[in-house]
Amino acid sequence: MSNALQSMNPAQREAVLYLNGPCLVLAGAGSGKTRVITQKIAYLINECGYDARGIIALTFTNKAAREMAERIQQSVEKKRLKGLTISTFHALGVRFLREEAVLAGLKPGFSILDSTDALGVIQELLATTDKGRLRSVQQQISLWKNALITPDDSEKIAQTPDEMDAARVYRSYDATLRAYQSVDFDDLIVMPATLMSTNDEVRERWQRRCRYMLLDEYQDTNVCQYQWVRSLTGLRDMFTAVGDDDQAIYAWRGATIENLAKLPQDYPALRIIKLEQNYRSVATVLDAANQVISRNPNLFGKKLWSTLGQGEPIQVVVMDNEEAEAESVGMRISASRFERKARWKDYAVLYRGNHQGRLFEQTFRELRIPYVIAGGQSFFDKAEVRDIIAYLRIVANEEDDPAFIRAVTTPKRGVGQASLTALGDTATQLNCSLFDAVHDELAATRIAPRQLEPLKVFVDFIRNIQWRSGRGRTDGGAATPAEGATELLDELMKYIDYERYLYDTQEERAAQSRWQNVLELTNWLKRKAQEDGLTLAQLVQHIALITMLERSEDDEDPDAVRLTTIHASKGLEYPYVHMVGVEEGLLPHFGKDDEYGDANKDAEALEVRIQEERRLMYVGITRAQFHLTLTWCKKRRKAREDLIREPSRFISEMGLETGVKTVVDPFSGMTPKERLVRLKEMLQKKG
């Protein structure tokens, strides 16, 4: 037995060694599930003679996939890892559809629309700028797709006006994507699952490849993912699913805890192994978490425990209002950091909704507390930045259909949805990009001259920029010098006339803010081109890499307090956690404005919601390693009105006997200036 296996606890070791059929590993928070998955892959390859090509490990985030890959490299020789698949569900979906494009009704070079591009298609179909309505329709279509509900089925089951609205758009949205030869994020799972269930040849081909499958965060799978997994593993039923029914917190995006409940029914020979030893948290934290989650119906029954000691009592602090809450939390963190000789990044502030984070940002800036927002919007995710980058993407690659659609319709050029759909049909028939289809004779027979002319003007302009930027310019085999990136960028921006577009479509303050972001982008691009001596074509080729690096800045792990939603904190851990706004109406959250819709009309639906909110509370509690503080406010302002608040039911459910101590805010009633004086006094005494 390897040293890695010997160092595992008995339950972990059993989970790694079991290979007599399907296996469900119920992995409590902090119980070492990633270690089990990676060691099982190593065991399959090193000890059982499995070819890495036959092993597929699936998870939900690129970060988790990278972590698995890095850990496995420490246990298996590099040459024996060739062909191993460790990826997200969606990355496997891309690979599947690239291979099976023809049978899926796609061209090999199909495009993938991200959420923003897909929302643009829905906006054209709905002919509205109401962001709330657009997102509601987009989410409903996504939920239907994830549940394998077709446009025909959606029309039959739609009941509310919003659902009927979405069903009407769903059919046209689906047809538009097919015409564009594009897929959205959900299609990356829906289409492989559907093709494998209807095509024997494809199903058998992929089943032969999948000798063993490992599934991470199984409680987060939706109906479609469950169906696809069943198809992939159907030949042998050899898989290990790792999940935790107590951490199922994504019902609002289609995940269903029923997938865990169905496993013993669909696989009677299923082996269930429970990982209950927690390697993260002290006993007071785990006792509180166990007490809270025990109020929920439990599918399999488990109880976390650890050998890390009892720990300090959990503190529940009563605040006057949200301003006092933010200031007090900031000061308590400052004092604790000084007292414990800790780092800023040892602290996290968790909240139910993103809107709660704004006040903490403002307060932390005033208190000079460094912070980072986990899951905050990237600069490169801003709509105005993406608009300009779409033009640069099409300059770099005219096959990029989503970039073409975004650029040609922003600003509007008299090109509507009907023209783009006709162009998409033309491109499909010719098996070419939308860009190349514009000048084909077939397009002229399908699109009226008035709508076709602006498309031709756009394509001709982009081709001119491509040519002058150095793409494909040769004279007798010798490259012709490209024009400077700065000059071409200026010409491109003049053509787009984006500043005028913003002021025509936005309120003045919003337009000004967005235009500043565009100027920041273009100035940065020019500076990059000059510093590195890049042509526009070379610069554009680097944009994907640049945006990827920008989005991974969190990996640098700066010494700063983490501000994050509880949802975004799942899978993470922090020595000292402050969970704020633990009040009725916030946590648990109920009301029309949350992502569940109005469930108050249905007692059963409300109870289902409370159970998921309780699981969210459980996730928040179990992020803490050594100490947990909860805060709630007596009053909270909403729409210029002070609302009286009540502590969350989950606080009492934690049980006073678990080491929970309620205290009054020590800074209560003080002005911000008085609070700062008091904090300095506290720090001086501790010094």
Side-chain angles (χ1 to χ4, degrees):
M1 187 181 292
S2 69
N3 291 334
L5 280 172
Q6 287 178 343
S7 66
M8 288 180 150
N9 67 44
Q12 290 175 328
R13 194 156 50 244
E14 181 187 1
V16 170
L17 298 177
Y18 185 76
L19 287 175
N20 292 334
C23 179
L24 170 61
V25 179
L26 287 167
S31 62
K33 67 180 179 65
T34 303
R35 186 183 182 200
V36 165
I37 292 172
T38 53
Q39 285 305 313
K40 189 153 194 170
I41 294 172
Y43 177 67
L44 288 168
I45 296 172
N46 291 337
E47 308 294 333
C48 303
Y50 272 70
D51 188 327
R53 291 177 183 83
I55 301 172
I56 299 175
L58 296 178
T59 186
F60 281 86
T61 67
N62 290 322
K63 183 178 180 182
R66 283 197 305 271
E67 183 183 348
M68 280 187 201
E70 289 165 2
R71 288 201 194 185
I72 290 169
Q73 287 168 9
Q74 298 169 11
S75 305
V76 183
E77 288 182 75
K78 187 175 181 181
K79 64 181 180 181
R80 301 190 70 181
L81 289 172
K82 189 174 182 181
L84 174 66
T85 297
I86 302 177
S87 76
T88 62
F89 275 92
H90 293 91
L92 183 65
V94 173
R95 176 178 148 194
F96 180 100
L97 290 178
R98 293 292 182 206
E99 288 190 34
E100 309 292 353
V102 175
L103 291 174
L106 297 167
K107 65 181 182 184
F110 67 86
S111 299
I112 302 168
L113 269 62
D114 63 20
S115 179
T116 306
D117 290 332
L119 193 67
V121 174
I122 292 171
Q123 183 170 355
E124 285 288 338
L125 294 170
L126 273 177
T128 181
T129 57
D130 183 340
K131 290 291 175 62
R133 185 181 173 205
L134 289 169
R135 290 197 181 95
S136 174
V137 168
Q138 184 179 38
Q139 185 184 27
Q140 185 59 66
I141 291 174
S142 176
L143 288 172
W144 279 332
K145 283 192 172 190
N146 289 329
L148 292 173
I149 294 170
T150 65
D152 286 343
D153 294 334
S154 72
E155 291 175 351
K156 296 172 186 174
I157 65 173
Q159 295 180 332
T160 68
D162 286 348
E163 288 175 353
M164 292 175 186
D165 212 15
R168 178 176 58 81
V169 172
Y170 187 7
R171 182 182 301 281
S172 300
Y173 172 74
D174 213 38
T176 301
L177 260 58
R178 298 296 84 79
Y180 289 170
Q181 281 290 291
S182 298
V183 298
D184 65 15
F185 205 55
D186 298 315
D187 288 330
L188 297 177
I189 310 296
V190 174
M191 295 180 80
T194 303
L195 187 58
M196 283 193 70
S197 68
T198 56
N199 189 304
D200 294 342
E201 179 189 342
V202 173
R203 180 171 59 255
E204 290 168 9
R205 178 161 57 246
W206 282 83
Q207 284 181 347
R208 284 194 300 271
R209 292 187 191 183
C210 182
R211 288 196 62 205
Y212 203 94
M213 177 173 280
L214 300 103
L215 300 143
D216 188 21
E217 303 286 9
Y218 192 73
Q219 76 281 349
D220 294 338
T221 56
N222 56 43
V223 170
C224 186
Q225 287 162 334
Y226 184 82
Q227 184 62 47
W228 193 24
V229 166
R230 287 206 71 185
S231 293
L232 284 166
T233 60
L235 190 62
R236 301 177 180 86
D237 286 348
M238 291 293 283
F239 65 84
T240 293
V242 181
D244 183 3
D245 50 325
D246 293 333
Q247 296 189 72
I249 59 174
Y250 292 114
W252 51 275
R253 69 182 190 196
T256 173
I257 197 171
E258 290 302 311
N259 285 351
L260 276 172
K262 284 163 60 178
L263 274 178
Q265 301 165 21
D266 292 339
Y267 300 94
L270 182 74
R271 178 70 161 266
I272 298 175
I273 300 168
K274 299 176 184 178
L275 304 185
E276 297 174 294
Q277 183 174 356
N278 174 285
Y279 292 90
R280 173 188 298 159
S281 306
V282 293
T284 50
V285 170
L286 297 183
D287 289 346
N290 286 330
Q291 289 266 23
V292 168
I293 206 64
S294 68
R295 305 295 183 105
N296 269 4
N298 198 293
L299 288 177
F300 302 101
K302 68 177 186 308
K303 190 173 182 179
L304 295 179
W305 59 276
S306 84
T307 59
L308 298 179
Q310 186 64 21
E312 302 172 38
I314 293 169
Q315 285 201 336
V316 179
V317 188
V318 185
M319 302 290 182
D320 292 332
N321 52 50
E322 62 264 44
E323 287 85 3
E325 181 180 51
E327 289 167 2
S328 184
V329 167
M331 291 176 182
R332 291 168 73 86
I333 288 174
S334 293
S336 172
R337 174 177 168 270
F338 182 85
E339 182 181 3
R340 300 176 190 273
K341 296 182 172 56
R343 301 165 298 179
W344 291 116
K345 66 180 180 181
D346 292 335
Y347 295 85
V349 178
L350 311 184
Y351 35 77
R352 175 62 178 78
N354 275 310
H355 66 281
Q356 293 170 258
R358 295 177 195 132
L359 192 55
F360 285 90
E361 284 191 74
Q362 295 168 10
T363 303
F364 281 23
R365 281 199 295 267
E366 291 169 7
L367 295 175
R368 298 187 178 179
I369 296 174
Y371 68 88
V372 291
I373 302 175
Q377 187 186 39
S378 158
F379 176 75
F380 286 92
D381 282 334
K382 295 181 184 294
E384 59 273 18
V385 172
R386 291 164 57 85
D387 286 342
I388 302 306
I389 286 178
Y391 282 85
L392 298 174
R393 281 166 53 192
I394 201 68
V395 167
N397 174 22
E398 61 271 17
E399 297 282 330
D400 191 337
D401 287 346
F404 174 87
I405 294 166
R406 189 175 190 119
V408 83
T409 57
T410 312
K412 301 287 186 185
R413 293 184 173 80
V415 179
Q417 198 67 39
S419 300
L420 286 173
T421 300
L423 184 64
D425 291 338
T426 304
T428 300
Q429 189 170 338
L430 296 170
N431 194 27
C432 68
S433 66
L434 296 172
F435 186 95
D436 288 336
V438 168
H439 276 291
D440 193 275
E441 293 178 359
L442 187 58
T445 67
R446 296 183 171 182
I447 304 172
R450 186 177 176 182
Q451 281 74 45
L452 188 59
E453 186 57 31
L455 288 169
K456 288 182 175 179
V457 170
F458 173 80
V459 166
D460 290 344
F461 175 79
I462 296 298
R463 280 179 172 165
N464 179 262
I465 294 290
Q466 287 177 329
W467 182 257
R468 291 161 56 197
S469 70
R471 279 199 57 199
R473 295 181 57 157
T474 56
D475 291 328
T480 305
E483 294 183 32
T486 297
E487 292 76 11
L488 289 176
L489 265 173
D490 285 339
E491 187 170 338
L492 186 64
M493 292 305 298
K494 183 179 178 182
Y495 170 79
I496 299 171
D497 200 9
Y498 197 77
E499 184 178 14
R500 188 179 71 161
Y501 161 73
L502 285 174
Y503 281 94
D504 284 347
T505 58
Q506 306 283 328
E507 293 182 2
E508 185 172 354
R509 284 185 65 182
Q512 186 177 13
S513 173
R514 292 187 174 197
W515 180 241
Q516 286 303 314
N517 287 332
V518 171
L519 290 178
E520 183 180 339
L521 171 70
T522 53
N523 289 336
W524 175 75
L525 287 170
K526 290 176 184 178
R527 190 165 62 249
K528 183 77 175 171
Q530 290 171 352
E531 288 173 356
D532 297 347
L534 302 176
T535 65
L536 183 64
Q538 293 168 334
L539 182 64
V540 172
Q541 287 164 6
H542 283 73
I543 283 179
L545 175 62
I546 292 164
T547 58
M548 182 182 72
L549 291 174
E550 193 273 344
R551 285 172 181 155
S552 64
E553 280 183 349
D554 284 349
D555 293 344
E556 296 174 10
D557 199 24
D559 186 21
V561 178
R562 267 54 175 177
L563 302 180
T564 177
T565 63
I566 304 174
H567 280 101
S569 74
K570 186 166 169 289
L572 304 175
E573 58 187 44
Y574 306 96
Y576 313 106
V577 169
H578 289 257
M579 204 178 341
V580 300
V582 189
E583 305 156 19
E584 290 292 298
L586 271 179
L587 184 62
H589 192 197
F590 28 72
K592 285 189 175 182
D593 294 336
D594 76 357
E595 58 265 42
Y596 292 93
D598 184 12
N600 290 308
K601 62 185 180 183
D602 186 331
E604 184 178 345
L606 180 59
E607 179 55 30
V608 169
R609 173 192 294 177
I610 294 297
Q611 289 173 15
E612 173 143 341
E613 293 289 301
R614 189 175 282 115
R615 292 193 291 270
L616 191 61
M617 180 74 176
Y618 173 86
V619 167
I621 293 171
T622 53
R623 298 313 95 197
Q625 295 174 276
F626 308 131
H627 191 252
L628 173 66
T629 301
L630 309 180
T631 62
W632 68 274
C633 298
K634 297 176 184 176
K635 291 187 296 185
R636 194 173 289 270
R637 182 161 284 263
K638 184 176 182 181
R640 299 184 181 181
E641 181 183 358
D642 283 331
L643 302 179
I644 303 300
R645 312 298 287 187
E646 296 291 336
S648 168
R649 69 192 73 187
F650 301 146
I651 292 177
S652 63
E653 290 178 2
M654 290 164 63
L656 294 174
E657 67 275 13
T658 61
V660 179
K661 179 183 176 185
T662 300
V663 299
V664 177
D665 176 15
F667 304 106
S668 179
M670 297 183 184
T671 65
K673 187 174 181 180
E674 290 169 338
R675 288 170 182 264
L676 281 171
V677 171
R678 178 67 186 275
L679 176 64
K680 288 177 183 176
E681 290 174 355
M682 289 168 60
L683 294 176
Q684 286 168 358
K685 284 180 183 178
K686 286 170 180 172

